[in-house]
Each structure stands twice: as structure tokens, then as C-alpha cells.
Amino acid sequence: MTHHHDLGVPVGDGEYASPAKFLLMSAFLVYEAKKAGSDVRLAARNILDEIFESAKAGGFMKGEILETLMSRCEKSQRVWTLAVEATEAIGDTEAFMSALRRAGIRTEGVE
């Protein structure tokens, strides 16, 4: 990838989200957005699975706790802190975007 994304993960129309926010948005699609299409929910589930796998490989061992809290739709400082820890275990934004690509998410041309 030739771009360095200091601003975060490009989500379209020149907007960026931090990796932690992107993780929480994916959890929202899986656990809360009941009207989202099945393809969207499946993509979000794939993202969560890859993020947790990559975070665990990076030393984050609280994935089950974080997933349980997200599945309960908990919005708290604890959830945010765990999301940040999980994504930091993956590495920088480029490493996070590599995890998204492994989850089958196209990241080219999103900016």
C-alpha cells in the first residue's frame, strides 16, 4: 500500500475512523443493526473475527471479554479501552488495514 493513513481507516468521502472506532462500528453492525442486510452483517462478522485473531496474535488476551460486552451492546469506557488495546495489539493503521483485507474487505479506493 502506498498511502500512510495517520488519520485512521478511510471510510469514504474523505472521512476516517480510528481502528478502535472501526472495530466498534463492526460490532454495532453485528449486534445492534438488526435491519442491516445479511451481507453487511456477514462482512462485519468477518471483520470482528479477523480483528480478534490478529489482536490475539499480537498479545491481546481479553477478546472474549470485549466480545461479550459488545454483544450486550454495552457502551462504556471499559469497552472503548479494550477496543483500543485490541487494535493497538495489531499494530499501526496499516497493519489494521491488512487485517481488514484478510477479512475480505476491499480497502483500495475508499478514500
Side-chain angles (χ1 to χ4, degrees), residues 82-93:
L82 288 171
V84 169
E85 288 175 10
T87 57
E88 285 179 348
I90 295 171
D92 63 10
T93 303

Side-chain angles (χ1 to χ4, degrees), residues 12-83:
D13 293 331
E15 298 290 326
Y16 293 82
S18 71
K21 187 167 188 162
F22 198 93
L23 166 61
L24 296 174
M25 289 188 300
S26 298
F28 170 81
L29 290 170
V30 170
Y31 296 114
E32 296 183 62
K34 303 300 182 198
K35 293 184 180 181
S38 60
D39 57 335
V40 171
R41 293 170 64 101
L42 177 60
R45 178 74 257 170
N46 290 340
I47 290 168
L48 290 182
D49 291 345
E50 181 58 42
I51 289 172
F52 283 125
E53 183 176 318
S54 297
K56 186 173 183 178
F60 181 72
M61 297 300 153
K62 299 176 187 172
E64 288 182 19
I65 295 168
L66 178 55
E67 180 125 29
T68 297
L69 295 172
M70 292 186 311
S71 73
R72 295 178 182 164
C73 304
E74 182 174 320
K75 298 185 179 35
S76 65
Q77 184 61 46
R78 181 180 185 200
V79 171
W80 176 255
T81 299
L82 288 171

